Amino acid sequence: MRTGNLFVISGPSGAGKGTLVARLVREVPDAWVSISATTRSPRPGEVDGVHYQFMTVDDFRGLVDQDGFLEWAEVHGNYYGTPLAPIREHMATGGQVILEIDVQGALQVRDRIPEAHLVFIEPPSLEELERRLRGRGTESEDVIRTRMDNARLELSAKMEYDVQLVNDNLDESVKELVELVDSYARS
Ligand code: 5GP
């Protein structure tokens, strides 16, 4: 029988976390990805309740006051948080729970749940990261600059994580991540 585990995945925007996590969930049947709450506006194609729970600042603060988040943080000028109740449910039923959150949130999770496994996804280089961010074509120059500044900050925290994974080759990174999750799920 597989045991429930909590995995926290962080890394700068553009490092490929989203794609990696989507592939991981396809390959690990009992993996479940938490849907974060955020006060930022949806990007084109993002669906409420699927990519994020989009909420107002007042609603978000209300949930903070009710202790409804496992962790929360302000990232790029918006609030983001991990709703606590679904995490508890999935952990209780033995699922592999995946959080895709920023460094501030990851450190809060480690304090609250020390047995969580923290994985940092690194881009091959800062130049490559900038190229990927620009390639999305969805962000303004200001947003790209904020994200690059934030990337430098996030990278300086990578040694706080249990595992650092350089996302150079997507297939290889997926394989490593799947092996990691499976190894804890079987133990
Ligand atoms: P984006 O706006 O590009 O979707 O996400 C921006 C950043 O917020 C990413 O680094 C992402 O990992 C982080 N993030 C997303 N959800 C959460 C969350 O629930 N908590 C925290 N602390 N960070 C989050």
Side-chain angles (χ1 to χ4, degrees):
M1 159 118 176
R2 286 159 73 94
T3 55
N5 291 285
L6 182 59
F7 297 89
V8 178
I9 316 272
S10 304
S13 301
K17 282 169 301 178
T19 313
L20 265 174
V21 167
R23 291 269 306 266
L24 175 70
V25 170
R26 261 190 275 148
E27 298 197 19
V28 178
D30 53 354
W32 173 81
V33 186
S34 159
I35 300 170
S36 296
T38 184
T39 59
R40 87 150 159 74
S41 310
R43 296 196 187 111
E46 283 184 336
V47 178
D48 186 35
V50 176
H51 299 95
Y52 279 105
Q53 263 177 265
F54 295 99
M55 49 173 77
T56 63
V57 171
D58 279 352
D59 286 348
F60 193 99
R61 289 198 177 129
L63 257 178
V64 170
D65 290 343
Q66 291 163 38
D67 210 10
F69 290 117
L70 169 61
E71 60 72 39
W72 67 273
E74 193 179 335
V75 187
H76 310 141
N78 294 298
Y79 292 130
Y80 293 81
T82 303
L84 182 56
I87 305 287
R88 287 212 173 111
E89 280 164 31
H90 282 85
M91 292 288 289
T93 54
Q96 310 309 315
V97 173
I98 318 286
L99 309 185
E100 192 198 316
I101 63 177
D102 89 320
V103 168
Q104 309 168 70
L107 300 181
Q108 292 176 48
V109 172
R110 193 182 56 188
D111 285 347
R112 237 171 128 166
I113 307 181
E115 58 277 19
H117 308 289
L118 270 57
V119 181
F120 191 91
I121 309 294
E122 283 185 65
S125 67
L126 280 172
E127 291 72 25
E128 171 62 14
L129 186 72
E130 186 163 354
R131 203 186 60 76
R132 289 181 190 173
L133 283 178
R134 288 186 188 282
R136 279 183 184 172
T138 53
E139 326 286 10
S140 68
E141 191 59 33
D142 269 2
V143 169
I144 289 175
R145 215 165 296 141
T146 310
R147 284 178 187 238
M148 285 305 293
D149 287 345
N150 208 49
R152 286 184 196 93
L153 254 180
E154 295 232 315
L155 281 162
S156 69
K158 70 177 185 185
M159 296 318 288
E160 302 276 350
Y161 285 66
D162 303 307
V163 176
Q164 295 79 24
L165 205 159
V166 179
N167 187 18
D168 210 348
N169 175 304
L170 184 64
D171 287 336
E172 273 172 30
S173 300
V174 171
K175 192 165 164 271
E176 276 183 54
L177 208 51
V178 169
E179 280 171 5
L180 181 87
V181 172
D182 275 342
S183 71
Y184 284 111
R186 277 194 304 268
S187 61

